[in-house]
Amino acid sequence: MAQLFQSSKKYRSRGQALVEFLVASALAALIIPSLLTGLVSSRLGKAQTGQRLEATTIEKEIQDSLRNIRDTDWNAISTNGTFHPVPTSSSWSLSPGSTTIDGYTKSVVISDTFRDTNGVIVESGTIDPSTKKITISVSWNSPIPSLVTETIYLTRQKNLTHIDTTVSDFTNGTLSGSTVTNQSGGEVTLGAGGQGDWCNPNLTLTTLDLPKSGVANAISAIEGQVFAGTGDNASGVSFANVTISNTNPPIASINGTLDGYKTNDVFGETQYAYLATDSNSKEIIIVNLTTNPLTETGYFNAPGNGSGNSVTVSGSVGYMTSGNKLYSFDLSSKSGSRPQLGTVSLAGTGNRIKIIGNYIYVAIQSTTTQLQIIDVTNPRSLSIIGQAQLAALNGKDIFVNNTGTRAYIATEQSASHNEFFIIDVSTKNGNQPILGSYDSSGMNPKALTVVSGNKAIMVGTGGTEYQIINIINENSLTSCGSLNVDTGVNGIASVRENDGDTYSYIITGDASSELKIILGGPGGTYSNSGTFTSSVFDVNTSSVFNRFDVTQAIPNETSITYQIAGADAADGNCANATYTFIGPDGTSSTSFSSGSQIPFSISGVYKNPAKCFRYKASLLSSDSSSSPVMYDFTLNYSP
């Protein structure tokens, strides 16, 4: 039995050894190939790493050779295609196709570079003729097919600039409906009218003594006529109709007066004037200007015992404020008592009103709401739709531009707040945003107007009584001129005549010459559209025009667009060349709205590269008081 057990144990030991052998063989079959593969890969990896380092070195050498070629001759790398660099006796050159040396294949692919209007490189856009996209590749096949590649951009090393920025730069160009001014060292803007300069006013042009010795405090004007009224005391005439001659300088003469009232405001047309008076029974007086002497033909009597604070007229409807009420009344006839059409309550006394289209804008004497907008589409049903809260100051006067997108308000003087405000009234409904404000520096404002050429004029008493404000940057208003009128300025109106002359008319506390006329401008003839075409720029040798940049100001309701022209010289002279102005698509039907890459063209009437260059700026405004301004034009080019 013991022998049998020992025999069995012996067989089991042999079986276990066999199993262990089989397991070890299986493991070896799995591990040994992996070890061998790893050993081979390790040896190959070392070789591959070395080749990649070598290829990277070759790629960097190719970059250096391309820069050398670029510095020597840009035209050598300006052709698209596949090339490889070849050393020469003193430099490098490019030969077509790729090349293989010592197992490394080298290729240089040259292609166009595109930029957007901001000059950023993009996949598609305007070709930049002074920048090339270059893809460098170095490849090898053994022991494993591999590739090193890198994309670079090379630009002409020589970039020059030409800039128009001074008065003399711009006056050498051609102006049509535009003018060159010198408020910031030289700039191009639309003609503002007039032979003077709003920013350099003087009181020597024309003055007029109104009859008697009353205090003149109301004024409005149209071409050829000024309507003036007195109202602070009973010593003057209620109204004077003043004729203004179309001469240089203008001559002012009284063409009739009306007495019997104290006048708080006046609105004038060719044949009629409308006076807002202190009469409880005739808050509005209608004056016939065609009779001699002037006659009162009609009136409007508002309910209650108030006085007329302000008045305006649109077609056959008149509007007036009395206290905190706005009234509309019928003017289909100018005779007798005119019937009331509608009324609405305001947030405070309506000091001044202006109407543009279907909306009336009211300067409110209130410390909470200084502007209210009233929809007068239906004069029988007036409704307040918008308002603005300024500093806690009473609104004194208001001006609204002809497009009804901007309101300008003067408020009473304050030591802690600004007194002049620009308000965006484009939307009309709800609270209207304030865009900018200006400090009158101690002057107590009484009236304002806005004139051509991005200027506002605010007048009053104390401090500097006649102040001109540059409003081209609505967020940063600055002074551009002023006048001291120590007797005070009680009212202002402005007129642009059909022949281009521009004036402001002021009524002052000067008892011997209440009415004064101030010449405005500059610009010669006012224009709401115009062009400036630059003088010819001769770059002396054929060059690539890369891009242009502009410094400009584009106020509300204005624009500037640009076109450029490149041409070959005619008879060796750029002055004789033919210029075709084009936009971003290379045709004359489009324009640039700002600085941009310049299109490339080697055929057709527009050329780039070329020897001769010009540009044209087209200026436009739908707001008679605003104009765009071009300060600088900078051309970047490469010979």
Side-chain angles (χ1 to χ4, degrees):
M1 189 70 176
Q3 185 178 2
L4 180 61
F5 176 76
Q6 290 177 354
S7 176
S8 175
K9 183 177 180 181
K10 180 178 179 180
Y11 286 121
R12 284 199 305 274
S13 178
R14 290 176 178 175
Q16 183 176 353
L18 178 60
V19 170
E20 291 174 351
F21 173 76
L22 292 174
V23 170
S25 297
L27 291 172
L30 293 172
I31 295 172
I32 290 174
S34 297
L35 291 172
L36 292 174
T37 300
L39 179 61
V40 172
S41 297
S42 177
R43 295 183 63 187
L44 291 175
K46 290 181 179 179
Q48 184 74 357
T49 299
Q51 288 174 312
R52 183 170 295 277
L53 290 173
E54 179 69 17
T56 300
T57 300
I58 294 172
E59 186 270 328
K60 297 301 181 185
E61 290 175 348
I62 293 174
Q63 283 194 39
D64 292 339
S65 67
L66 291 172
R67 290 189 175 91
N68 180 273
I69 295 170
R70 183 271 311 273
D71 296 344
T72 303
D73 181 10
W74 169 261
N75 292 328
I77 62 169
S78 63
T79 303
N80 293 344
T82 301
F83 304 89
H84 67 275
V86 176
T88 64
S89 59
S90 59
S91 183
W92 292 84
S93 64
L94 288 176
S95 292
S98 58
T99 185
T100 301
I101 300 175
D102 296 332
Y104 294 97
T105 300
K106 312 170 190 178
S107 70
V108 174
V109 178
I110 301 175
S111 58
D112 290 325
T113 297
F114 300 91
R115 297 185 187 270
D116 63 17
T117 55
N118 295 317
V120 177
I121 293 176
V122 291
E123 288 299 318
S124 63
T126 301
I127 291 179
D128 179 355
S130 291
T131 304
K132 302 301 291 189
K133 178 182 179 180
I134 301 178
T135 302
I136 304 169
S137 299
V138 179
S139 62
W140 63 98
N141 294 322
S142 179
I144 301 172
S146 300
L147 174 72
V148 169
T149 184
E150 184 172 355
T151 298
I152 63 173
Y153 292 88
L154 289 184
T155 302
R156 294 176 190 260
Q157 189 178 35
K158 192 173 184 180
N159 279 292
L160 304 178
T161 58
H162 169 78
I163 182 170
D164 283 347
T165 184
T166 66
V167 170
S168 60
D169 291 336
F170 293 126
T171 51
N172 288 327
T174 303
L175 299 160
S176 175
S178 59
T179 189
V180 178
T181 58
N182 191 21
Q183 294 185 21
S184 300
E187 54 275 329
V188 175
T189 186
L190 286 172
Q195 303 300 323
D197 185 349
W198 288 121
C199 294
N200 291 285
N202 69 76
L203 297 171
T204 63
L205 188 65
T206 300
T207 63
L208 179 68
D209 181 18
L210 297 178
K212 299 186 178 180
S213 57
V215 177
N217 67 342
I219 187 171
S220 67
I222 60 176
E223 181 170 354
Q225 285 180 272
V226 169
F227 313 97
T230 63
D232 284 354
N233 60 43
S235 300
V237 295
S238 303
F239 169 73
N241 181 30
V242 181
T243 298
I244 307 296
S245 68
N246 189 16
T247 57
N248 190 13
I251 299 172
S253 57
I254 295 176
N255 192 29
T257 63
L258 185 78
D259 214 345
Y261 306 94
K262 292 181 181 179
T263 303
N264 297 322
D265 193 22
V266 59
F267 180 87
E269 299 174 325
T270 303
Q271 296 182 336
Y272 294 93
Y274 308 85
L275 314 182
T277 78
D278 66 342
S279 172
N280 294 333
S281 59
K282 295 181 179 180
E283 286 86 356
I284 300 298
I285 298 297
I286 305 171
V287 182
N288 188 338
L289 303 179
T290 64
T291 61
N292 186 14
L294 304 183
T295 56
E296 175 186 327
T297 65
Y299 65 93
F300 172 65
N301 180 21
N305 295 317
S307 299
N309 298 114
S310 61
V311 60
T312 191
V313 173
S314 178
S316 61
V317 180
Y319 301 90
M320 66 153 288
T321 58
S322 177
N324 69 336
K325 298 289 187 180
L326 171 69
Y327 296 94
S328 58
F329 55 95
D330 177 43
L331 284 176
S332 57
S333 170
K334 303 296 193 290
S335 301
S337 177
R338 307 313 309 149
Q340 176 181 318
L341 298 176
T343 185
V344 68
S345 295
L346 304 171
T349 297
N351 278 335
R352 288 291 181 268
I353 57 177
K354 290 292 185 294
I355 184 167
I356 299 292
N358 292 324
Y359 301 95
I360 279 186
Y361 305 80
V362 188
I364 305 290
Q365 184 166 323
S366 167
T367 58
T368 58
T369 302
Q370 288 75 32
L371 165 69
Q372 287 188 294
I373 304 173
I374 294 89
D375 187 337
V376 297
T377 304
N378 181 357
R380 298 181 182 273
S381 180
L382 312 181
S383 59
I384 297 172
I385 60 171
Q387 62 281 321
Q389 290 80 36
L390 311 179
L393 302 169
N394 293 319
K396 289 295 188 179
D397 196 11
I398 187 169
F399 182 95
V400 181
N401 66 352
N402 62 283
T403 60
T405 57
R406 293 292 186 271
Y408 307 85
I409 289 187
T411 65
E412 66 181 353
Q413 195 274 333
S414 169
S416 57
H417 298 287
N418 290 344
E419 293 84 9
F420 175 86
F421 298 87
I422 301 179
I423 303 168
D424 185 346
V425 292
S426 302
T427 60
K428 310 292 189 293
N429 295 298
N431 291 322
Q432 307 297 292
I434 299 171
L435 300 176
S437 63
Y438 174 84
D439 185 3
S440 67
S441 300
M443 184 256 282
N444 188 26
K446 299 192 72 173
L448 68 86
T449 189
V450 176
V451 296
S452 55
N454 310 299
K455 306 297 185 297
I457 306 173
M458 185 165 59
V459 298
T461 57
T464 303
E465 295 84 3
Y466 184 99
Q467 300 184 15
I468 303 96
I469 307 165
N470 189 339
I471 59 175
I472 190 168
N473 183 348
E474 295 178 323
N475 298 316
S476 180
L477 308 181
T478 59
S479 171
C480 84
S482 63
L483 277 173
N484 281 312
V485 185
D486 292 337
T487 56
V489 183
N490 300 321
I492 185 170
S494 57
V495 165
R496 185 185 70 247
E497 297 179 345
N498 289 330
D499 63 2
D501 292 333
T502 56
Y503 300 100
S504 67
Y505 306 96
I506 60 174
I507 46 174
T508 72
D510 184 349
S512 62
S513 56
E514 293 92 341
L515 176 64
K516 302 179 189 298
I517 302 178
I518 299 173
L519 178 63
T525 300
Y526 170 82
S527 179
N528 61 2
S529 64
T531 60
F532 168 77
T533 305
S534 73
S535 58
V536 173
F537 176 49
D538 185 345
V539 296
N540 297 318
T541 184
S542 182
S543 300
V544 172
F545 307 119
N546 300 318
R547 67 171 291 112
F548 73 91
D549 293 286
V550 293
T551 304
Q552 59 187 11
I554 310 295
N556 177 56
E557 305 288 338
T558 73
S559 65
I560 306 180
T561 56
Y562 301 88
Q563 291 185 316
I564 52 94
D568 293 329
D571 300 325
N573 193 334
C574 284
N576 299 328
T578 300
Y579 296 91
T580 299
F581 293 93
I582 59 95
D585 67 350
T587 72
S588 59
S589 62
T590 61
S591 300
F592 302 93
S593 60
S594 60
S596 175
Q597 291 296 123
I598 295 177
F600 180 68
S601 176
I602 58 175
S603 61
V605 293
Y606 163 75
K607 298 291 182 64
N608 185 20
K611 184 175 183 291
C612 313
F613 181 86
R614 298 184 79 181
Y615 66 91
K616 179 169 66 176
S618 298
L619 298 83
L620 181 66
S621 176
S622 57
D623 179 355
S624 59
S625 61
S626 292
S627 174
V629 179
M630 178 181 69
Y631 296 101
D632 306 304
F633 185 99
T634 303
L635 172 68
N636 176 278
Y637 67 101
S638 300

